[in-house]
């Protein structure tokens, strides 16, 4: 007999133990795929904070030390920063599946799959850090990803516009330069991990693009005008550097959108 979905997701969201959160996320995704979980009427509350471990210390983004990849701690610090993004991405995906109850089952399936894939990314990075003699929590980190999750929790269209299409898409843009820096210090193992993450993140941004455009059609909104308005309203820029045009194209950005992004940056 199917069991309730939303309490399971909420428990995973609030879990502060990294190992338990990852395991719970993967179990929920597998159980949903098997049809063992059922959506039900359940209380929906604002979560001021998702569960996270005592370490890493969370500081303002400007207080996170910047280290060169070739410096003694630069390489692990870079990988730690990426691992922290993936940990937050698990919470973001779980929250999307848990929060937006008006969305169809396909939406839940997409975001539970993404949560499980983000958990897999974190495991890869955690393992690489351990090979280098470090662990998740050894460096300070910031909480910017969860903060944007919090301010977009009132509207699924805003969430789809600003999290996958801005924050996660920035990861597509940043990946080639990160890989270049790691390759320059001979860290081919980490480059290979980032290949896996980039491949999957293209799919995650594609999911966000799909649902953003679906919601725009549903609400009779023009997508680019809506996206531009939301960027201004939330004081965000699509990206501050060069775009990974090929990855964005694979992730479902149209040629018109790519041209608009380039012009908006210029």
């Amino acid at each position: 007999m199917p069991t309730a979905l939303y309490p399971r997701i909420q428990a995973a969201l609030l879990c502060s133990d990294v190992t338990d959160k990852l395991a719970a996320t993967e179990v929920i995704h597998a159980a949903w795929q098997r049809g063992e979980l059922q959506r039900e009427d359940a209380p929906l509350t604002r979560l001021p904070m998702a569960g996270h471990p005592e370490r890493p210390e969370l500081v303002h983004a400007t207080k996170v030390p910047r280290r060169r990849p070739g410096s003694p701690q630069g390489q692990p610090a870079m990988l730690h920063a990426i691992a922290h993004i993936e940990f937050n991405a698990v919470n973001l995906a779980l929250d999307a599946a848990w929060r937006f109850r008006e969305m169809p089952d396909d939406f839940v399936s997409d975001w539970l799959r993404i949560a499980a894939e983000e958990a897999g990314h974190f495991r890869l990075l955690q393992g690489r850090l351990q090979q280098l003699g470090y662990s998740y929590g050894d460096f300070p980190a910031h909480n910017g990803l969860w903060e944007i999750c919090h301010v977009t929790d009132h509207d699924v269209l805003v969430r789809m516009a600003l999290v996958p299409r801005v924050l996660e898409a920035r990861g597509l843009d940043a990946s080639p330069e990160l890989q270049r820096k790691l390759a320059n210090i001979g860290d081919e193992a980490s480059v290979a991990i980032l290949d896996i993450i980039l491949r999957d993140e293209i799919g995650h941004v594609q999911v966000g693009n799909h649902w953003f455009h679906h919601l725009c059609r549903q609400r009779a909104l023009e997508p680019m005008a809506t996206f531009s308005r939301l960027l201004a309203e939330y004081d965000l820029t699509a990206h501050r550097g060069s775009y990974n045009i090929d990855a964005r194209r694979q992730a479902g950005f149209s040629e018109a959108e790519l041209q608009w992004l380039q012009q908006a940056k210029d």
Side-chain angles (χ1 to χ4, degrees), residues 9 57 60 67 79 88 96 104 114 126 128 144 147 178 194 197 221 235 261 266:
I9 300 178
E57 176 190 7
H60 191 274
R67 299 177 174 90
L79 295 173
N88 275 279
I114 289 171
Q126 184 183 48
R128 183 66 184 131
E147 289 167 5
L178 292 173
L194 293 188
I197 293 175
L221 296 171
D235 194 26
L261 287 169
D266 298 338

Side-chain angles (χ1 to χ4, degrees), residues 98-124:
W98 177 77
R99 179 169 305 284
F100 300 115
R101 316 256 170 113
E102 72 276 20
M103 298 299 286
D105 284 356
D106 284 349
F107 181 90
V108 176
S109 296
D110 280 341
W111 289 101
L112 289 181
R113 173 181 59 80
I114 289 171
E117 289 177 354
E118 304 288 18
H121 298 167
F122 180 88
R123 290 185 194 279
L124 290 172

Side-chain angles (χ1 to χ4, degrees), residues 2-235:
T3 57
L5 171 68
Y6 293 125
R8 297 279 296 274
I9 300 178
Q10 184 173 346
L13 259 174
L14 295 176
C15 180
S16 59
D17 181 90
V18 173
T19 301
D20 290 347
K21 182 188 289 285
L22 300 180
T25 297
E26 291 161 343
V27 167
I28 291 167
H29 173 238
W32 172 260
Q33 285 187 305
R34 293 192 299 266
E36 296 171 2
L37 299 175
Q38 179 176 309
R39 302 174 77 177
E40 79 292 348
D41 290 332
L44 179 61
T45 58
R46 257 198 136 194
L47 295 180
M49 192 71 168
H52 63 92
E54 290 184 6
R55 299 174 67 241
E57 176 190 7
L58 297 180
V59 299
H60 191 274
T62 59
K63 301 295 184 183
V64 178
R66 297 187 180 278
R67 299 177 174 90
R68 293 180 179 275
S71 66
Q73 290 193 322
Q75 176 190 12
M78 178 188 292
L79 295 173
H80 187 278
I82 301 169
H84 184 66
I85 290 170
E86 299 300 325
F87 178 80
N88 275 279
V90 173
N91 283 326
L92 281 163
L94 287 174
D95 185 81
W98 177 77
R99 179 169 305 284
F100 300 115
R101 316 256 170 113
E102 72 276 20
M103 298 299 286
D105 284 356
D106 284 349
F107 181 90
V108 176
S109 296
D110 280 341
W111 289 101
L112 289 181
R113 173 181 59 80
I114 289 171
E117 289 177 354
E118 304 288 18
H121 298 167
F122 180 88
R123 290 185 194 279
L124 290 172
L125 291 161
Q126 184 183 48
R128 183 66 184 131
L129 280 169
Q130 289 169 350
Q131 289 173 352
L132 296 171
Y134 293 85
S135 297
Y136 180 60
D138 284 350
F139 298 90
H142 68 83
N143 205 37
L145 274 176
W146 181 256
E147 289 167 5
I148 195 68
C149 177
H150 194 246
V151 301
T152 61
D153 64 8
H154 63 289
D155 187 341
V156 62
L157 184 146
V158 178
R159 174 70 63 83
M160 294 298 103
L162 301 185
V163 175
R165 283 172 53 86
V166 177
L167 300 186
E168 291 194 80
R170 284 178 181 174
L172 306 184
D173 300 326
S175 185
E177 179 63 13
L178 292 173
Q179 289 184 297
R180 184 190 66 79
K181 290 178 178 179
L182 290 165
N184 284 345
I185 59 172
D187 188 359
E188 295 300 332
S190 296
V191 171
I193 290 172
L194 293 188
D195 277 337
I196 295 168
I197 293 175
L198 176 61
R199 177 201 67 200
D200 291 347
E201 294 296 342
I202 287 171
H204 301 174
V205 177
Q206 187 176 42
V207 166
N209 270 322
H210 165 76
W211 289 111
F212 173 73
H213 285 279
H214 168 85
L215 289 158
C216 284
R217 288 192 299 272
Q218 195 175 70
R219 301 183 192 186
L221 296 171
E222 201 287 315
M224 282 191 286
T226 301
F227 187 54
S228 178
R229 173 179 61 80
L230 291 172
L231 288 175
E233 184 177 335
Y234 288 86
D235 194 26

